Amino acid sequence: MIVKLNDHASPAAQSAILEALARQDYTTRRVSLPFGDFIVGLGDGAGDTTTLAALESVAWARRGAERAVLAAIDASPTRTEVPLGRTSIGGTALAVIAGPCSVEDRDQIRTCARFVAAYGATALRGGAFKPRSSPYAFQGLGHEALEMLAEAGKTTGLPVVTEVMEPGEVGPMAPLVDCFQIGARSMQNFPLLREVGRAGKPVLLKRGPSSTMKEFLLSAEYVLLEGNPNVILCERGIKTFETATRNTLDLNAVPVLKSQTHLPVVVDPSHGTGRRDAVIPMARAAVAAGADGLIVEVHPDPARALSDGDQSLTLAQFRTLVEEIRPVAEAVGRRVEATPVPNFGEPRTSGRRRGTGWGAGD
Amino acid sequence: MIVKLNDHASPAAQSAILEALARQDYTTRRVSLPFGDFIVGLGDGAGDTTTLAALESVAWARRGAERAVLAAIDASPTRTEVPLGRTSIGGTALAVIAGPCSVEDRDQIRTCARFVAAYGATALRGGAFKPRSSPYAFQGLGHEALEMLAEAGKTTGLPVVTEVMEPGEVGPMAPLVDCFQIGARSMQNFPLLREVGRAGKPVLLKRGPSSTMKEFLLSAEYVLLEGNPNVILCERGIKTFETATRNTLDLNAVPVLKSQTHLPVVVDPSHGTGRRDAVIPMARAAVAAGADGLIVEVHPDPARALSDGDQSLTLAQFRTLVEEIRPVAEAVGRRVEATPVPNFGEPRTSGRRRGTGWGAGD
Amino acid sequence: MIVKLNDHASPAAQSAILEALARQDYTTRRVSLPFGDFIVGLGDGAGDTTTLAALESVAWARRGAERAVLAAIDASPTRTEVPLGRTSIGGTALAVIAGPCSVEDRDQIRTCARFVAAYGATALRGGAFKPRSSPYAFQGLGHEALEMLAEAGKTTGLPVVTEVMEPGEVGPMAPLVDCFQIGARSMQNFPLLREVGRAGKPVLLKRGPSSTMKEFLLSAEYVLLEGNPNVILCERGIKTFETATRNTLDLNAVPVLKSQTHLPVVVDPSHGTGRRDAVIPMARAAVAAGADGLIVEVHPDPARALSDGDQSLTLAQFRTLVEEIRPVAEAVGRRVEATPVPNFGEPRTSGRRRGTGWGAGD
Amino acid sequence: MIVKLNDHASPAAQSAILEALARQDYTTRRVSLPFGDFIVGLGDGAGDTTTLAALESVAWARRGAERAVLAAIDASPTRTEVPLGRTSIGGTALAVIAGPCSVEDRDQIRTCARFVAAYGATALRGGAFKPRSSPYAFQGLGHEALEMLAEAGKTTGLPVVTEVMEPGEVGPMAPLVDCFQIGARSMQNFPLLREVGRAGKPVLLKRGPSSTMKEFLLSAEYVLLEGNPNVILCERGIKTFETATRNTLDLNAVPVLKSQTHLPVVVDPSHGTGRRDAVIPMARAAVAAGADGLIVEVHPDPARALSDGDQSLTLAQFRTLVEEIRPVAEAVGRRVEATPVPNFGEPRTSGRRRGTGWGAGD
């Protein structure tokens, strides 16, 4: 049960609401968000909205058992813009989050960061803790990678986005991270959602590969209920019968989610296709569909990447991606901020393949 | 087994090839296509390409059991442009095929045709024979509808596209039809594919809701094997677990198919979403992904449509669609031909709902 | 709209119903089935059941737009038993339909028929017209195969079940066929469903690989509406993301369909798994779930099969299958009729692989 | 990389292996399991099995990047039997794990435990921490529920199985739990898998709703790599397009997994169908397919259940389930241990519905 308070709800009025919720067998919580103050009843209560709506200072009361309420579009009068670095996600400017699947060494992440910063990225991604289907696959360099990533971010001025896999790591990671990524496999890791909610930093929440949009928004609701409004939804493909691509990128989710929530929606064409040759066309498509940004894997030398080499763009391809999405963004009333720097130069790539063919998680 | 002949292959050389195939237990057929002359071996033969490739006048010999060969991108040096009306599909100009799900009466199809012609359609769609999951649902007006459609096409100068459901109808329908649509449920109706192959007219082949891209191309191969190169592939959404949309539009198929075949690829955002509010964003996305055209359902009064009302655009929305895809098309180096006519006027829509909620086939 | 007549409905009462339906804009049809006489209104009518139910001689009136009505369990007071050969499908005795994927030659089908007859089959399957994803794959021997199949059926006393792929073949095939199979790819080939409905012979209707149970029953409804009650539903696996098996056999469909329809339900573990080693366990599971029978692929020499070799049982394995389902059948109150003949003998199998690895349709 | 040691491998031989792995850039670990001692190389190493296999005391060396090795059937000469309470899972006796979705109060779990113990359960399930798609739904009574569950287990002599959702809870829960359940949503929660691996207790690992069997086995491998061989795999349904059931129970997984792994496989027909009326038939089917056991939801009063009421059996239905699986078990050479106690009595159920319709996780 969610009760929205009117502005200037008196302490007495709030107490009355809390008591009414308790009488209906709810556990109560106050939630303060930029678009309102709420009193929430959790658990299996009586579900009587009428009595609650009639109380003083109550703007509305809604049941939330099956649909997100705080994340729903009518909870907020304006679309949420999530601040990240010098920009925000959800406004006119497109977010372009780029970087390697995994941070592999100091040189790799520095090179990558400088390049993507020069050619239009607004944030830097890089995995330190990698969920891998196989325990034998490379699992990330851990805390060491986090420091390299943070350093690369600081040098280039890019905020950093990286995945957190367990509640106990949220606290230790927080000082080095600008935005926590919740990977697709963790979309319904509820203790983790609560913990990143409490940390207060922006959260990039990836859609689970077999999750409906309704379930996706309910996972966002877990974060919002901790008083953290800064959730960026990320469509990254769903599991289907098709084997020509790693996942089926569900761009339908862009207009449908935008009609159902005030939260920004970005798209990951790297995991959504699993094929380097499809990433740029699908990045253009995502922008045309109305996405608020992109998150793409870029590697100085994809053939040697320790994970996700097949779907990582080269640095030159990333530059092409930005060049190609710019006019599409303009065609739909958006803009790509960055001014590409000509002749930045690009490291040579070698031929030898490292790492496993097995795709890494996200 | 597919054997490509060199130019000017002598009759003697051709006989030798036919004999070699027969010795390998194949049933043979000659196939002439704009991009080459072929001798094809069907059935369960020995699969010895080496012997065949060594024969005189043989450009190459390929096994075709598991992958399309004639539809494959390397079978033709150029992309296929399918002629349709005054334009073609697969060139720089985007195809915009628009019209109602079903032809319901003379007035409806006339109104719709004039409007879509004025605002940028390059072809007119309209169902005369409707595959419906339920036998109780409206199944189309049949031959009567075909005549209305043909008349509306003639009046507006638009070529007409309509679905054929059974082999026996191909002949009778041919004089009134410019392009046969093979619906999603018929993608693997092989007798029907052969029959439209023989008819020689352009074929708009819709992807089956549970068909992989590989199977999709193999179905196109059935048509090409009849000597008909004019196949337009249409991505229209696949069946997944997601229930917020009628199907999951798989735009990944656009770049992936374009990398695998020389045939043009169009997208149906109406069936691919099932939601009117998502059709225009996904039409933009399809164009940005590199589609060669769109096929969209438009109805003068969707609330009264006998089928697919929920996903049909109003006439005004169709106009918006064309206006919105134009700059996206330009951003990707394509163009939308038509010059919108201002203040064309639009019929008023009424409120009463006709027809069933059950979606109609495609 | 479906109107059930009371017994002895007078001609005058029937006329009144027909007129009432016509006034509601329906096209009308009389349907006589073992469980009642019906007047049906097709198309997009007004849907007013109240007026109809109030007429004389009307037992009930139901709308049928979104759900099957004649196939629904409450349309008939008893479960339908479909007569086939000397037995029937849907009673206490389990149907065991067995035979090769394709009829390949006279010897193969004869050997197979004699063996499966001796070990417990109640009907003989064998493909004459094979839907194949690839036009290059073996497509069946056609009419010649039909005659071989019919002869093998006559010799062994087994009724024959074979697939029909197009409406125009129903008439020519009828004299040689005891039960028409509608393959999975044809489940929504509505002209074909109508035609086999009219032919009056039993119809084995396979579930489409992306069809819901609701759509499955609506396809059965097409056949029933032609006055043909003898529809056998066949679960044969659906398309999912899992690649370890060819399809995902959805045994949930057995109890769910049995709770929704009076028609018998059989299971095809051959296509439902695509793996020979999983066929027998899943056959046992199907029987335990409550299936009315099985349809399995058996080949004297699977390694040389022209289609579906990977999922075909050897003759010895078929014998094991029957031995293993017998006690399971008894555990759920059913019985397997046949008395296995000891030491029947079994042809030797050779090693050479013929045919393509590409699975054949069903 | 996994290296299996011969019996009596000398310390010197082991050191040589460790050094060889380190030279190939692996992080090493020793793993001792009932079926052998192993030295494992984790991470992105050179993958040179030849050099390793040639070393002294090496039985074999296998790469493990894409397939489970320790969980694979050829890693162990015998099938693993997981000890649980007085019995084990994976032998001739079928495991029957039964109990409510959630522990709701002391009386509910006691009643349930006594009843299922009397009628044939071999273990007691009950949720204390419930993953719920919606944050507003009942999330379990937590530690209080654990104590009630443990008490009910002690009273009845049944070992208890309950879900753990985060690594930090494994330690605190361990004293009260006989078997940790890893829920479907947590199948790829790798930190959690490692933690329950270290705890050493049996682990019931549920298949993720969009996970392939290959991924399922790789998740089991995470647990085995911690030296814990006691993993019970649980098929509980996958996400598909079908909406008549909550999930599609993939019984194909039973024979396929049993052919690929030595670990026992149980089936959850409650989550696998989501419909009370389908649970018993699918329980029979699971046993017939060769499952080593069942896990079913049972509630004294399903209409008042706080979660999963729609799929919970009544106590009387549980009794029927055991009666019906017994002869099926015997038909496949297994047995159901318990002797049903006649006239145990059964609490009356009331009518009022509590809880939400929204299904609870597993």
Side-chain angles (χ1 to χ4, degrees):
Chain A
M1 180 71 74
I2 303 91
V3 177
K4 184 172 188 192
L5 302 181
N6 286 324
D7 292 349
H8 316 300
S10 70
Q14 294 189 39
S15 295
I17 296 165
L18 288 164
E19 277 163 36
L21 283 167
R23 269 197 306 275
Q24 291 193 25
D25 280 334
Y26 289 107
T27 306
T28 55
R29 175 188 299 185
R30 289 162 198 265
V31 181
S32 233
L33 289 162
F35 47 86
D37 293 310
F38 301 86
I39 297 180
V40 173
L42 299 173
D44 180 51
D48 171 7
T49 52
T50 316
T51 304
L52 288 160
L55 293 177
E56 199 195 319
S57 297
V58 170
W60 47 253
R62 291 180 188 154
R63 277 191 213 94
E66 299 205 11
R67 292 202 168 270
V69 171
L70 298 176
I73 193 154
D74 56 2
S76 171
T78 56
R79 291 203 175 270
T80 291
E81 287 195 35
V82 176
L84 187 61
R86 284 168 293 192
T87 61
S88 67
I89 301 186
T92 308
L94 276 188
V96 180
I97 307 166
C101 175
S102 304
V103 177
E104 296 173 6
D105 56 53
R106 201 171 299 272
D107 192 48
Q108 172 238 29
I109 187 66
R110 266 188 194 159
T111 304
C112 206
R114 274 185 308 156
F115 193 97
V116 301
Y119 285 106
T122 58
L124 178 65
R125 64 152 289 155
F129 301 92
K130 300 298 306 172
R132 298 299 292 268
S133 297
S134 167
Y136 302 107
F138 174 66
Q139 315 253 333
L141 299 179
H143 291 280
E144 193 188 356
L146 270 189
E147 278 167 37
M148 297 175 192
L149 181 68
E151 188 209 272
K154 191 172 281 182
T155 309
T156 54
L158 295 180
V160 302
V161 180
T162 199
E163 177 162 358
V164 59
M165 286 174 64
E166 48 185 316
E169 287 287 357
V170 173
M173 288 172 70
L176 294 170
V177 170
D178 297 295
C179 174
F180 282 112
Q181 176 179 310
I182 300 296
R185 294 179 179 90
S186 302
M187 192 201 87
Q188 295 194 317
N189 185 334
F190 304 117
L192 183 60
L193 293 176
R194 286 196 193 97
E195 201 63 31
V196 294
R198 284 175 206 135
K201 300 215 167 195
V203 175
L204 183 102
L205 178 63
K206 291 203 156 187
R207 180 180 180 186
S210 64
S211 294
T212 62
M213 300 182 210
K214 192 165 83 170
E215 291 165 340
F216 193 15
L217 292 178
L218 282 165
S219 283
E221 191 90 351
Y222 270 91
V223 181
L224 292 170
L225 272 170
E226 302 298 329
N228 185 346
N230 293 316
V231 180
I232 305 148
L233 301 171
C234 179
E235 162 61 34
R236 47 74 74 198
I238 57 174
K239 270 263 186 96
T240 70
F241 61 82
E242 178 58 71
T243 53
T245 48
R246 184 175 172 186
N247 289 290
T248 295
L249 189 64
D250 181 11
L251 287 185
N252 279 352
V254 175
V256 173
L257 288 173
K258 297 287 284 184
S259 75
Q260 294 181 347
T261 182
H262 52 85
L263 298 171
V265 179
V266 304
V267 170
D268 174 353
S270 305
H271 288 88
T273 63
R275 299 167 60 118
R276 190 179 306 126
D277 65 349
V279 169
I280 295 178
M282 294 309 284
R284 295 190 315 246
V287 172
D292 295 301
L294 299 168
I295 176 164
V296 288
E297 291 187 347
V298 179
H299 194 284
D301 191 356
R304 292 174 58 93
L306 291 175
S307 53
D308 279 357
D310 290 344
Q311 71 196 34
S312 294
L313 297 182
T314 63
L315 301 180
Q317 286 170 326
F318 175 69
R319 184 177 166 174
T320 303
L321 178 144
V322 175
E323 282 165 9
E324 294 202 2
I325 63 170
R326 177 171 288 111
V328 176
E330 282 160 13
V332 296
R334 307 294 283 260
R335 69 177 189 279
V336 178
E337 291 279 8
T339 311
V341 181
N343 301 317
F344 177 82
E346 184 187 350
R348 290 178 41 219
T349 62
S350 75
R352 189 178 86 83
R353 168 96 188 204
R354 283 199 309 172
T356 64
W358 190 264
D362 56 323
Chain B
M1 181 69 74
I2 302 91
V3 177
K4 185 174 185 189
L5 302 181
N6 286 324
D7 291 349
H8 316 299
S10 70
Q14 294 189 40
S15 295
I17 296 166
L18 287 164
E19 277 163 36
L21 283 167
R23 269 196 305 275
Q24 292 193 28
D25 278 335
Y26 289 107
T27 306
T28 55
R29 176 188 300 185
R30 290 162 198 264
V31 180
S32 233
L33 289 163
F35 47 85
D37 293 311
F38 302 86
I39 297 180
V40 173
L42 299 174
D44 180 51
D48 171 6
T49 52
T50 316
T51 304
L52 289 160
L55 294 176
E56 198 195 321
S57 295
V58 170
W60 46 253
R62 291 179 189 155
R63 278 191 211 92
E66 300 205 9
R67 293 206 168 267
V69 172
L70 298 176
I73 192 153
D74 56 2
S76 171
T78 55
R79 292 203 175 271
T80 291
E81 287 195 37
V82 177
L84 188 61
R86 283 168 293 192
T87 60
S88 67
I89 301 187
T92 309
L94 276 189
V96 180
I97 306 166
C101 176
S102 305
V103 177
E104 296 173 6
D105 56 53
R106 201 170 297 273
D107 192 49
Q108 174 239 27
I109 187 65
R110 266 189 192 159
T111 303
C112 206
R114 275 186 305 156
F115 194 96
V116 301
Y119 285 106
T122 58
L124 179 65
R125 62 153 289 157
F129 300 92
K130 299 298 305 172
R132 299 299 292 268
S133 297
S134 167
Y136 302 107
F138 174 65
Q139 315 253 335
L141 298 179
H143 290 279
E144 193 187 358
L146 271 188
E147 279 167 37
M148 296 176 192
L149 182 69
E151 188 209 271
K154 190 172 281 182
T155 309
T156 54
L158 294 181
V160 302
V161 180
T162 199
E163 177 161 357
V164 59
M165 286 173 64
E166 46 185 318
E169 287 287 357
V170 172
M173 287 172 70
L176 294 168
V177 169
D178 296 295
C179 174
F180 282 111
Q181 177 180 309
I182 301 295
R185 293 180 180 89
S186 302
M187 191 201 88
Q188 294 194 318
N189 185 334
F190 304 117
L192 183 60
L193 294 175
R194 286 196 193 97
E195 200 64 30
V196 294
R198 285 174 206 137
K201 300 216 166 194
V203 176
L204 183 103
L205 178 63
K206 291 202 156 189
R207 180 180 181 186
S210 65
S211 295
T212 60
M213 299 181 210
K214 193 166 82 170
E215 291 164 339
F216 193 14
L217 291 178
L218 282 166
S219 284
E221 190 91 351
Y222 270 92
V223 181
L224 292 170
L225 272 172
E226 303 297 330
N228 185 346
N230 293 315
V231 179
I232 305 148
L233 300 171
C234 178
E235 162 61 35
R236 49 72 74 194
I238 57 174
K239 270 265 185 96
T240 70
F241 61 83
E242 178 59 73
T243 53
T245 48
R246 183 175 172 186
N247 289 291
T248 295
L249 189 65
D250 180 11
L251 287 185
N252 280 352
V254 176
V256 174
L257 288 173
K258 297 286 285 184
S259 75
Q260 295 180 347
T261 182
H262 53 85
L263 299 172
V265 179
V266 304
V267 170
D268 173 352
S270 304
H271 288 88
T273 63
R275 298 168 60 121
R276 190 179 307 126
D277 64 350
V279 170
I280 295 177
M282 294 310 285
R284 294 190 314 246
V287 172
D292 295 300
L294 300 169
I295 175 165
V296 288
E297 291 187 348
V298 179
H299 194 283
D301 191 356
R304 291 175 58 94
L306 291 175
S307 53
D308 279 357
D310 289 345
Q311 72 195 34
S312 294
L313 298 182
T314 63
L315 300 181
Q317 285 170 326
F318 175 69
R319 184 176 167 174
T320 302
L321 178 143
V322 176
E323 282 165 10
E324 295 202 2
I325 62 169
R326 177 170 289 110
V328 176
E330 283 160 12
V332 296
R334 307 295 282 259
R335 70 178 189 279
V336 178
E337 291 278 10
T339 312
V341 182
N343 301 316
F344 178 81
E346 183 187 350
R348 289 177 44 218
T349 62
S350 75
R352 191 179 83 83
R353 168 90 189 210
R354 285 199 308 175
T356 63
W358 191 264
D362 55 324
Chain C
M1 180 70 75
I2 302 92
V3 178
K4 185 174 187 190
L5 303 181
N6 286 324
D7 292 349
H8 316 300
S10 70
Q14 293 190 39
S15 295
I17 296 166
L18 287 164
E19 276 163 37
L21 283 167
R23 268 198 306 277
Q24 291 193 29
D25 279 335
Y26 289 108
T27 307
T28 55
R29 174 188 301 186
R30 290 161 200 264
V31 181
S32 234
L33 289 163
F35 47 84
D37 293 310
F38 301 86
I39 297 179
V40 172
L42 300 173
D44 182 52
D48 171 7
T49 53
T50 316
T51 304
L52 288 160
L55 294 178
E56 199 195 320
S57 296
V58 170
W60 47 253
R62 292 180 187 153
R63 275 189 214 94
E66 300 204 11
R67 292 204 169 268
V69 171
L70 298 176
I73 193 155
D74 55 2
S76 171
T78 55
R79 291 202 175 271
T80 291
E81 288 194 36
V82 176
L84 187 61
R86 283 166 293 191
T87 60
S88 67
I89 301 186
T92 308
L94 277 189
V96 180
I97 307 166
C101 176
S102 305
V103 176
E104 297 172 5
D105 56 52
R106 202 171 297 272
D107 192 48
Q108 173 239 26
I109 188 65
R110 266 187 194 161
T111 304
C112 207
R114 276 185 307 155
F115 193 96
V116 300
Y119 284 106
T122 58
L124 178 65
R125 63 152 290 156
F129 300 93
K130 299 300 304 172
R132 298 299 292 268
S133 298
S134 167
Y136 302 107
F138 173 65
Q139 315 253 334
L141 298 179
H143 291 280
E144 191 187 358
L146 270 189
E147 279 167 36
M148 297 175 193
L149 181 68
E151 188 207 272
K154 192 172 280 181
T155 308
T156 53
L158 294 181
V160 303
V161 180
T162 199
E163 178 161 355
V164 59
M165 286 173 64
E166 48 184 318
E169 288 287 357
V170 172
M173 288 173 70
L176 294 168
V177 170
D178 296 295
C179 175
F180 282 111
Q181 177 179 309
I182 301 295
R185 294 180 179 90
S186 302
M187 192 201 86
Q188 294 194 317
N189 185 335
F190 304 119
L192 183 60
L193 293 176
R194 286 196 194 97
E195 201 63 32
V196 294
R198 285 175 205 135
K201 300 216 167 195
V203 175
L204 183 102
L205 178 64
K206 290 204 156 186
R207 181 180 179 185
S210 65
S211 294
T212 61
M213 299 182 210
K214 194 167 82 171
E215 292 164 340
F216 193 14
L217 291 179
L218 282 165
S219 283
E221 191 90 351
Y222 270 92
V223 180
L224 291 171
L225 272 171
E226 303 298 330
N228 184 346
N230 292 316
V231 180
I232 305 149
L233 301 171
C234 179
E235 162 61 34
R236 49 73 74 197
I238 58 174
K239 270 262 185 95
T240 70
F241 61 83
E242 178 58 71
T243 53
T245 48
R246 183 174 172 187
N247 288 289
T248 296
L249 188 64
D250 181 11
L251 287 185
N252 279 352
V254 176
V256 173
L257 288 173
K258 298 285 286 183
S259 75
Q260 295 180 348
T261 182
H262 52 86
L263 299 171
V265 178
V266 303
V267 169
D268 174 352
S270 304
H271 288 88
T273 64
R275 298 168 60 119
R276 190 179 307 126
D277 65 349
V279 170
I280 295 178
M282 294 310 284
R284 293 191 314 246
V287 172
D292 295 300
L294 300 169
I295 176 165
V296 288
E297 291 187 347
V298 179
H299 194 283
D301 191 355
R304 292 175 56 94
L306 291 175
S307 52
D308 279 358
D310 289 345
Q311 71 196 34
S312 294
L313 298 182
T314 62
L315 301 181
Q317 285 171 326
F318 175 70
R319 184 176 167 174
T320 303
L321 178 143
V322 176
E323 283 164 10
E324 295 202 2
I325 62 170
R326 177 169 288 113
V328 177
E330 283 160 11
V332 297
R334 307 294 283 260
R335 69 176 190 279
V336 178
E337 291 278 10
T339 311
V341 182
N343 302 317
F344 176 81
E346 185 186 346
R348 290 178 42 218
T349 61
S350 74
R352 190 180 83 83
R353 169 94 188 204
R354 286 199 307 174
T356 63
W358 190 264
D362 56 324
Chain D
M1 181 69 74
I2 303 91
V3 177
K4 186 174 187 189
L5 303 182
N6 286 325
D7 291 349
H8 316 298
S10 70
Q14 294 189 38
S15 294
I17 296 166
L18 287 164
E19 276 164 38
L21 283 167
R23 270 198 304 275
Q24 291 193 28
D25 279 336
Y26 289 106
T27 307
T28 55
R29 175 188 301 185
R30 289 162 199 264
V31 181
S32 232
L33 289 163
F35 47 84
D37 292 311
F38 301 86
I39 297 180
V40 172
L42 300 173
D44 181 51
D48 171 6
T49 52
T50 316
T51 305
L52 289 160
L55 293 177
E56 196 196 322
S57 296
V58 170
W60 47 253
R62 293 181 187 154
R63 275 189 215 95
E66 299 205 10
R67 292 204 169 268
V69 172
L70 298 176
I73 193 154
D74 55 2
S76 172
T78 55
R79 292 203 175 270
T80 292
E81 288 195 36
V82 177
L84 188 61
R86 283 167 294 191
T87 61
S88 67
I89 301 188
T92 308
L94 276 189
V96 180
I97 307 166
C101 176
S102 305
V103 176
E104 297 173 6
D105 56 52
R106 201 169 299 271
D107 192 48
Q108 173 240 24
I109 187 65
R110 267 189 193 159
T111 303
C112 207
R114 276 186 305 157
F115 193 95
V116 300
Y119 285 107
T122 59
L124 179 65
R125 63 153 289 157
F129 300 92
K130 300 298 306 171
R132 298 300 291 268
S133 297
S134 167
Y136 302 108
F138 173 66
Q139 315 253 334
L141 298 179
H143 291 279
E144 192 187 357
L146 270 188
E147 279 167 35
M148 295 176 193
L149 181 68
E151 189 209 271
K154 191 172 282 183
T155 308
T156 54
L158 295 180
V160 302
V161 180
T162 198
E163 177 161 356
V164 60
M165 286 173 63
E166 48 185 316
E169 288 288 356
V170 172
M173 287 172 70
L176 294 168
V177 169
D178 297 295
C179 174
F180 282 112
Q181 177 179 308
I182 301 296
R185 293 180 180 89
S186 302
M187 192 201 87
Q188 294 193 318
N189 185 334
F190 305 118
L192 183 60
L193 294 176
R194 286 196 193 98
E195 201 63 31
V196 294
R198 284 174 206 137
K201 300 215 167 196
V203 175
L204 183 103
L205 178 63
K206 291 202 156 188
R207 180 180 179 185
S210 65
S211 294
T212 61
M213 298 181 210
K214 192 166 83 169
E215 292 164 338
F216 192 14
L217 291 178
L218 282 165
S219 283
E221 190 91 351
Y222 270 92
V223 180
L224 291 170
L225 272 171
E226 302 298 329
N228 184 346
N230 293 315
V231 180
I232 304 149
L233 301 171
C234 179
E235 161 61 34
R236 49 71 76 195
I238 57 175
K239 270 265 185 95
T240 70
F241 61 82
E242 177 59 73
T243 53
T245 49
R246 184 174 171 186
N247 289 290
T248 295
L249 189 64
D250 180 11
L251 287 186
N252 279 352
V254 176
V256 173
L257 288 172
K258 297 285 286 184
S259 74
Q260 295 180 348
T261 182
H262 53 86
L263 298 171
V265 178
V266 303
V267 170
D268 174 352
S270 305
H271 288 88
T273 64
R275 301 168 58 120
R276 190 179 305 126
D277 64 351
V279 170
I280 295 178
M282 294 309 285
R284 292 191 317 243
V287 172
D292 295 300
L294 300 168
I295 176 166
V296 289
E297 291 186 347
V298 179
H299 195 282
D301 191 355
R304 291 174 57 94
L306 291 174
S307 53
D308 280 356
D310 290 344
Q311 71 196 36
S312 294
L313 298 182
T314 62
L315 301 181
Q317 285 170 327
F318 174 70
R319 184 176 166 174
T320 303
L321 179 144
V322 176
E323 283 165 8
E324 295 202 1
I325 62 170
R326 177 170 288 110
V328 176
E330 284 161 11
V332 296
R334 307 294 282 261
R335 70 178 189 278
V336 178
E337 291 278 10
T339 311
V341 182
N343 301 316
F344 177 81
E346 186 188 347
R348 290 177 41 218
T349 62
S350 75
R352 188 178 87 81
R353 167 91 187 208
R354 284 199 308 174
T356 62
W358 190 263
D362 56 326

